Every structure is written in C-alpha cells, then in structure tokens.
Amino acid sequence: MDGTFQCVSDFYADKNNGTDDYLDNVVKQITFNIDGEEEKCAVPMGYAPTSVWYNTDMWKAAGLTDKDIPTTWDQLLEVAKKLTKSDGSQYGLAMADSGWAAYMKGNGTGLYTTDGKVSINSKENKAFLQKMRDFYNGGYAVPGLDDTAARESFESGQSAMVIVGPWEDQAATDKGINHDTFAVPDGDGTYKYADGKTGSNTGSTGLYWWVTSQVGDSEKLPGIYEFFKFYNNHDNQVKWSLGSAYPPNNKTVTADELSDRPLIAKISQYTDNSYIGIAGLKGGFGDIAASLDTLTQNTVRTGDDIQGLLDQAESSISGYLDEYAE
C-alpha cells in the first residue's frame, strides 16, 4: 500500500458484516503484511478465475470424451493437437501470446518471488517458452492473437478451445457455439505461491472495492461499510452472479441457486486454485506486464534466442522491482 487507499481490517473484524462468508482465496489476494501486521485492504467486487472453454461439437468429432479432459498442462497441449486439422481449417487452442504471468508461474519459476526477488531468468521458464514456441510452430494455435482475437477465434469456430474468464459462456451462446468448460490444468512449475501451492496455471481477474485514504474515520466510513455488507450478502451475490457471469464472492451461495447459469456455478469451483498473475507490488504492474508480453510475443512470433529474451526481461523487471521497492 502506497497511501492511496486505507486498509479495512476493522470491517472484516466485525462478524456482523458477514465477512466469514467471503471466499477465503478471494480475501487472501488482498491480504498484505504491512509493518509486521496482517492487514486486509479491500472488499471483493468481482473475482473471476479463467478456465478452458471448448467447442463440444469439435470435441466429439475428434473422438474425445470426458475421460480426455486434461489434468496437466502437457495433456492440454496434446488434446489441442488432436483438435487441430492439418488443412488449417481448425486450430486446437486459441491462446493470446500476452498475459502469461499465470502460465509462467504454473510451468516455471514465475516473474518474481513472493518476497519481490526477480525469478524470470531460469531454466524452467526457458524450457516452458521453448515448449510453447514448438507448439505454435507446429500449427496448433494461431500466432499473434491478443485476448480479444483469441475469443473471436473460438467464437467463430476457427479454434476448438480458448482460455478466458466466465464471460465466455454468454459470448459463445450468443454466437451459437455449443460449449463446456474445465479447469485450466496444473503445470509442473516450481513457483511457490504464498499459500504454499505450486503448479497452478489458473489466473484470475480480481476486482475489489477500495476505500481511499481521504475517508479516514470520517462519517462516510460507516456508510461505505454498509454498502460492502449489502453488496456481498447472500441474496445479492446470487443476483450478481446470475446477472454478471462472475462467480459469487459469498460461499453460502449454492450451485442450485445458480442453476440458470450452470457453467458459472462450475467455474466457482476453480476459485480456490486461482491467483492474480501480477500482484503484491506497490507499483510497476503495467511496466512488468509489458516486459513479460515482449518476452512471450517474441518467443511466439520470432525465432529470436530465448535465452537472450530472458536476459532482457530479467534486466527490465529487476529494474522495476528496485524502483518500486519499499
């Protein structure tokens, strides 16, 4: 925290606010150690784990069944190969070549450690990038896509799978794509999250309500807290989830209550294993994301030496970590 916002640990401490019903992993993402004290600094608004969306017609036509749903990253790539047609009319996976922070953690050593030390330049990350270059060069994914283009590739029937958030459910429905989803499978990465887990490729979009530092303990604060309490209560989270396609923040919401959006209920099961890709820093998020995108885009789109690209990424990310260190 750089002083722009104030923490709201006192809101969480009052159990009458219903905070015990918040999903634990969603709260963990905004829990920080500040001056030796654990502080909760925001309240959930919309937390959306990514998942793999697949065209069920293409899946069936390729001879795949539920038994083929991958449980490892390597299995995902193999399934994508089976879903690819050699004549170029169908690709296995529509995958943006940017925003790979979660994949670098799930399959390698990430960008930086939880204590803010640069970790991008490693043999594990190099091996993963080489694997993905070979995958793209094999013709199993369309090169040069951003997130929007990747979704369009799936929604147009060009690609059989895409990795994106829960909003894809409505988009695919609107485009007439018969679809289902499964969790982004774990990789064999050694990056260790703050909770001790390794291997998760499941990134998330994390939107939170924050209180600006100007509020202090003024008369505005009780009203803000009443809104937080109202927004995240059980009934409103059912309405929010059904209307927005985001999974609920409240763990008392049941799958039956989301029966009108069964795939959103399904995705809510992935929240506990999902993480914000670039997090835990006082600043420099955009700069670090841009450095990573340069690395991954050049890996996919060029034949440049991967080690040289990692050297460049390490230099730039290390500089940003130093710049925004306490």
Side-chain angles (χ1 to χ4, degrees):
M1 299 288 282
D2 63 359
T4 304
F5 302 103
Q6 64 187 53
C7 292
V8 291
S9 297
D10 57 329
F11 175 76
Y12 283 87
D14 185 348
K15 301 309 177 186
N16 291 324
N17 290 327
T19 52
D20 283 347
D21 292 332
Y22 292 2
L23 291 169
D24 295 337
N25 191 49
V26 177
V27 175
K28 285 179 183 177
Q29 306 301 307
I30 48 80
T31 302
F32 306 103
N33 187 305
I34 301 177
D35 297 329
E37 297 290 333
E38 184 178 277
E39 298 280 1
K40 295 178 176 60
C41 298
V43 171
M45 185 240 179
Y47 189 90
T50 58
S51 64
V52 183
W53 296 85
Y54 65 100
N55 184 313
T56 53
D57 295 330
M58 292 179 177
W59 188 272
K60 184 178 179 180
L64 300 172
T65 69
D66 287 349
K67 293 180 180 179
D68 295 298
I69 291 176
T71 58
T72 70
W73 185 261
D74 285 344
Q75 289 174 4
L76 175 65
L77 299 186
E78 289 304 312
V79 165
K81 293 176 183 179
K82 293 178 181 178
L83 287 164
T84 299
K85 293 186 176 180
S86 59
D87 63 0
S89 62
Q90 179 177 305
Y91 293 87
L93 176 64
M95 183 173 170
D97 56 15
S98 57
W100 282 18
Y103 308 139
M104 299 296 285
K105 291 177 178 179
N107 297 283
T109 57
L111 315 183
Y112 52 88
T113 62
T114 53
D115 59 354
K117 306 297 183 183
V118 66
S119 62
I120 193 167
N121 198 350
S122 67
K123 66 180 188 299
E124 292 89 350
N125 283 348
K126 183 178 180 180
F128 170 66
L129 292 173
Q130 184 63 58
K131 179 188 299 184
M132 295 309 298
R133 172 177 280 180
D134 293 343
F135 178 76
Y136 276 90
N137 287 345
Y140 307 112
V142 185
L145 301 183
D146 60 16
D147 284 334
T148 299
R151 290 183 59 193
E152 290 173 348
S153 179
F154 177 72
E155 292 159 16
S156 69
Q158 180 188 45
S159 295
M161 296 187 294
V162 67
I163 303 175
V164 72
W167 40 86
E168 188 57 43
D169 183 28
Q170 189 62 54
T173 299
D174 291 344
K175 295 297 175 65
I177 301 294
N178 294 321
H179 61 281
D180 203 337
T181 193
F182 56 82
V184 181
D186 282 353
D188 55 4
T190 60
Y191 176 87
K192 184 175 289 187
Y193 291 90
D195 60 6
K197 289 182 180 178
T198 61
S200 176
N201 285 297
T202 305
S204 66
T205 297
L207 304 176
Y208 291 86
W209 299 107
W210 300 80
V211 179
T212 60
S213 57
Q214 294 97 323
V215 172
D217 59 357
S218 71
E219 60 185 17
K220 296 179 181 179
L221 191 60
I224 293 170
Y225 282 2
E226 278 300 311
F227 171 75
F228 290 164
K229 180 180 178 181
F230 168 81
Y231 180 85
N232 280 309
N233 71 32
H234 175 277
D235 291 349
N236 283 328
Q237 279 301 293
V238 173
K239 294 178 182 177
W240 158 257
S241 192
L242 292 175
S244 70
Y246 276 76
N249 302 318
N250 191 311
K251 57 191 174 187
T252 66
V253 177
T254 67
D256 286 345
E257 290 174 300
L258 302 180
S259 59
D260 287 345
R261 301 294 295 269
L263 294 185
I264 304 307
K266 190 176 185 179
I267 289 171
S268 67
Q269 302 172 41
Y270 310 150
T271 298
D272 285 346
N273 196 45
S274 66
Y275 304 87
I276 297 172
I278 298 177
L281 303 174
K282 292 181 68 176
F285 303 95
D287 293 325
I288 290 175
S291 297
L292 174 60
D293 290 347
T294 298
L295 167 64
T296 57
Q297 288 169 351
N298 283 330
T299 293
V300 171
R301 303 182 190 185
T302 76
D304 293 354
D305 177 60
I306 291 177
Q307 184 57 60
L309 296 174
L310 281 167
D311 292 342
Q312 294 171 15
E314 179 183 38
S315 177
S316 61
I317 291 176
S318 180
Y320 294 129
L321 290 174
D322 290 342
E323 179 180 352
Y324 291 100
E326 293 182 353

